[in-house]
Amino acid sequence: MPAVTELTDLTIAQGRDGLRAREFTAVDLTLAHLHAIEALNPRLNAYLSVGHAQSMEQARAADVALAEGDTRPLLGIPLAIKDLFCTTGVRTTAGSKILMPFVPPYESTVTANLLRDGAVFLGKTNMDEFAMGSSNMSSYYGPVENPWKRRQDPSAVLVPGGSSGGSAAAVAARLAMGATGTDTGGSIRQPASFCGLVGVKPTYGRCSRWGVVAFASSLDHPGPFARTVRDSAILLGSMSGHDPKDSTSADVPVPDFEAACQQSIKGLRIGVPKEYRSDGMPGEIETLWRQGVGWLREAGAEIVDVSLPHTKYGLATYYIIAPAEASSNLARYDGVRFGLRADGEDLRDLYERTRAEGFGAEVRRRIMIGTYVLSAGYYDAYYLRAQKVRALILRDFTQVFEKVDALLTPTAPSAAFAQGEKMDDPITMYLNDLFTVPADLAGVPAASVPCGLDTDGLPLGLQVMARPFDEETMFAVAATLERAAGFSALPTLRAGS
Amino acid sequence: MALDPATVRRIATLARIRMDDAEVTTLAGELNTILGWIEQLNEVDISNVDPLTGAAHMALKMREDVVTDGGYPAAVLYNAPDRIGDFFAVPKVVE
């Protein structure tokens, strides 16, 4: 049996092969991760809860199945689950105080699919409250520390990005082989970029939203985090599929995403949209982007300069539509049927005190914006206008995908920043999602791939976007970038370090 | 269009969030900053554009209008902050 530290360094593909070859057991693999969590989680705060007994039970069951020759794709693979996915009998908080007492009596479709395929769940990961944030600083349960450190300033505590910050930190620090996340405005891809991981937001409708605590229903996309493109493809393959319980779940076949990672990109047309730049974006991100373009050209792709003229309106559009949907979705937290209740003089007072006490500042702010833009007299000026601009943003993508097969852009306009930075006003924080929001508004698949380091030694990601339901091209391009970049840097804080 | 404290208070009432005067003042400032930034959408020509409600690249499926699930009050009530028998309990609403 390899040393414990080696087990936590394995990719999912390697872990799967090792388990099938009986080089180690699922119990060995799970224990290695549980020990790593015990050692590092008190500092990182990546997990909100760890399910030791349940994880070991699942691992033992996996070993029995493996001995019988069972070849389910994730059999015995230990994963982390964002605390936005309902898990039967396991507390699910969405990073909020208002859901502190909530224990779902049902399983989300995505986690049920992972369990069906044999995965072991290590625990539930920290996140921005109700997935509203880009730094994990809005979690009621405290911030998450990014396991990466600045070379010149190793004592600075950096954020892992958000909202899926706990999932990203856990996978980067080798506290899980992979994780689930959700992406509404960039909440998988931005933390993937900040933590040196692959993060995938599939096509809207590819992964069921059933049992995922709702933030903005027309924008919420479940997806995976992993340390390689191939691993992310394996995870997405399990997470995907039609679900009658989600009316927007797509009834389309799930292709072999893992096989797509081997496809050549020779002859593919890759678009480089000129609008994916921002004021103050570090030159090294621009340089990395150009380098990525070069790698794809060398692999035989044809590079095409393209324009998505409404890109710059994506964020403002998002900050009308997402809060509007959130204000409606979060109306259910009223202290009556589940979650926190604050006592009141009458029912109305109970609602108002429960929601004031249960929601954090960012969530209250977004509910207020959403309520305002949907209110009588302002609906047309804000909400309806935003829906029309959203149509134009989708049209940009539709038109550009008539000319190219995929797009290459930076994932985020900066590397990971320190806790406390960018907190001066909400808009500075919102600007993190400048390059990720358009794919959410349009529903097109997008992946972030770690491609290099900045001068501080922090990871930077490049983003690949493709046509709706053409994740195969997205994976082929992402895997090509990964091979060319040869990203092998490791975070300072990780299992065994 | 700037939000005054009275409007903020009215939105808070619509949103059912209790708010003290200090928070109303802070939020009025923050919301005005955000709404001011959102004003940039006014420069987009949206004439003859239909609103887009969602990102689903397909038609929504129809289903039979029948009951397919239910019949487990214990699970439904499991997370209730307060209950009486098989009912959610709230403060008295009818005098």
Side-chain angles (χ1 to χ4, degrees):
Chain A
M1 187 187 119
V4 165
T5 50
E6 288 178 34
L7 284 180
T8 50
D9 278 333
L10 297 177
T11 64
I12 291 173
Q14 290 167 337
R16 189 180 62 183
D17 294 347
L19 286 168
R20 285 181 189 167
R22 316 296 298 279
E23 288 166 21
F24 45 83
T25 66
V27 166
D28 295 335
L29 198 55
T30 296
L31 270 177
H33 285 91
L34 288 172
H35 288 148
I37 292 168
E38 211 170 298
L40 277 176
N41 198 55
R43 173 162 179 186
L44 296 178
N45 200 27
Y47 283 90
L48 295 177
S49 63
V50 180
H52 299 269
Q54 197 187 29
S55 312
M56 289 306 291
E57 198 180 304
Q58 290 168 339
R60 281 190 291 268
D63 280 330
V64 171
L66 282 159
E68 290 165 357
D70 191 331
T71 57
R72 281 177 287 157
L74 292 171
L75 193 54
I77 300 295
L79 302 177
I81 303 298
K82 186 180 187 180
D83 210 19
L84 200 65
F85 291 82
C86 287
T87 40
T88 308
V90 177
R91 193 168 77 123
T92 300
T93 68
S96 181
K97 183 183 179 188
I98 211 160
L99 279 176
M100 190 150 59
F102 181 58
V103 178
Y106 55 87
E107 190 77 24
S108 82
T109 298
V110 162
T111 49
N113 290 349
L114 292 170
L115 292 172
R116 173 203 66 205
D117 284 349
V120 172
F121 289 171
L122 295 164
K124 305 294 290 290
T125 54
N126 205 342
M127 53 179 287
D128 280 301
E129 185 178 2
F130 282 105
M132 297 177 190
S134 308
S135 64
N136 215 107
M137 296 298 285
S138 80
S139 169
Y140 176 71
Y141 305 95
V144 172
E145 180 171 352
N146 188 326
W148 290 81
K149 298 288 159 199
R150 285 179 185 147
R151 252 183 231 134
Q152 323 298 340
D153 183 16
S155 61
V157 179
L158 307 182
V159 304
S163 68
S164 315
S167 286
V171 178
R174 275 70 180 153
L175 307 186
M177 299 184 86
T180 64
T182 58
D183 193 312
T184 303
S187 287
I188 292 175
R189 290 161 289 155
Q190 183 253 19
S193 182
F194 279 19
C195 292
L197 300 173
V198 178
V200 176
K201 179 206 84 74
T203 310
Y204 186 82
R206 182 66 91 181
C207 290
S208 168
R209 291 181 294 104
W210 195 81
V212 181
V213 175
F215 161 15
S217 303
S218 82
L219 295 159
D220 294 343
H221 300 73
F225 284 97
R227 294 194 290 265
T228 67
V229 173
R230 184 179 177 193
D231 283 4
S232 71
I234 294 170
L235 289 174
L236 184 63
S238 279
M239 294 166 70
S240 298
H242 178 238
D243 177 11
K245 292 195 290 250
D246 172 2
S247 64
T248 60
S249 167
D251 192 2
V252 294
V254 179
D256 185 342
F257 296 133
E258 193 181 352
C261 298
Q262 302 299 321
Q263 279 172 19
S264 163
I265 64 157
K266 206 168 179 141
L268 281 188
R269 294 168 67 89
I270 309 288
V272 180
K274 62 178 180 200
E275 290 85 3
Y276 279 65
R277 289 182 173 86
S278 75
D279 297 340
M281 184 168 94
E284 48 204 326
I285 292 179
E286 182 88 33
T287 306
L288 184 70
W289 188 15
R290 266 201 299 274
Q291 205 168 13
V293 168
W295 291 331
L296 297 182
R297 188 184 286 120
E298 280 162 34
E302 185 188 338
I303 305 301
V304 185
D305 288 325
V306 296
S307 171
L308 295 153
H310 296 91
T311 300
K312 69 168 178 167
Y313 300 111
L315 266 186
T317 304
Y318 176 86
Y319 275 97
I320 293 175
I321 290 173
E325 293 186 20
S327 73
S328 168
N329 272 326
L330 271 57
R332 74 190 70 179
Y333 303 102
D334 58 4
V336 173
R337 287 159 303 148
F338 50 86
L340 181 92
R341 168 184 291 194
D343 288 327
E345 288 163 18
D346 52 28
L347 190 56
R348 173 111 163 214
D349 194 41
L350 179 151
Y351 293 155
E352 293 189 346
R353 285 176 190 271
T354 296
R355 292 163 64 79
E357 207 179 290
F359 292 137
E362 181 63 26
V363 174
R364 291 202 300 273
R365 190 150 55 220
R366 296 209 198 178
I367 291 175
M368 291 289 286
I369 295 172
T371 306
Y372 179 65
V373 301
L374 290 177
S375 67
Y378 301 99
Y379 183 94
D380 286 5
Y382 289 108
Y383 187 63
L384 194 64
R385 174 170 283 271
Q387 286 186 310
K388 290 182 177 182
V389 180
R390 185 178 186 180
L392 292 172
I393 289 167
L394 173 61
R395 195 167 77 186
D396 282 356
F397 278 102
T398 308
Q399 287 174 347
V400 89
F401 282 132
E402 286 167 8
K403 288 180 250 166
V404 299
D405 302 296
L407 296 163
L408 183 72
T409 74
T411 304
S414 77
F417 48 89
Q419 288 182 5
E421 286 175 13
K422 307 205 182 200
M423 311 280 166
D424 305 340
D425 73 281
I427 294 169
T428 309
M429 186 63 76
Y430 297 170
L431 289 173
N432 266 288
D433 296 333
L434 190 61
F435 301 152
T436 46
V437 146
D440 290 295
L441 290 166
V444 301
S448 179
V449 183
C451 285
L453 299 176
D454 72 0
T455 47
D456 279 325
L458 297 178
L460 296 171
L462 291 179
Q463 173 173 242
V464 180
M465 294 182 270
R467 296 187 184 99
F469 298 111
D470 189 15
E471 283 88 352
E472 288 168 283
T473 296
M474 176 194 77
F475 278 121
V477 176
T480 304
L481 279 178
E482 181 181 52
R483 280 191 294 272
F487 185 88
S488 60
L490 294 169
T492 308
L493 298 174
R494 60 181 196 280
S497 65
Chain B
M1 46 196 116
L3 296 188
D4 55 21
T7 310
V8 173
R9 226 172 258 118
R10 188 177 61 84
I11 304 165
T13 304
L14 287 173
R16 300 288 186 270
I17 299 174
R18 190 183 164 90
M19 223 168 264
D20 60 26
D21 290 345
E23 194 179 357
V24 167
T25 309
T26 311
L27 257 174
E30 289 172 348
L31 296 184
N32 279 323
T33 305
I34 295 167
L35 291 169
W37 169 72
I38 282 172
E39 297 281 313
Q40 61 178 287
L41 294 185
N42 291 337
E43 66 195 55
V44 184
D45 179 4
I46 51 163
S47 47
N48 303 316
V49 178
D50 288 331
L52 182 69
T53 50
H57 293 272
M58 37 149 219
L60 293 185
K61 282 184 140 196
M62 301 297 278
R63 61 167 170 79
E64 291 301 307
D65 185 13
V66 291
V67 176
T68 57
D69 201 4
Y72 26 75
V76 171
L77 286 156
Y78 180 77
N79 283 284
D82 190 15
R83 56 184 284 192
I84 298 171
D86 275 354
F87 298 93
F88 295 104
V90 295
K92 195 171 170 183
V93 283
V94 182
E95 291 303 323

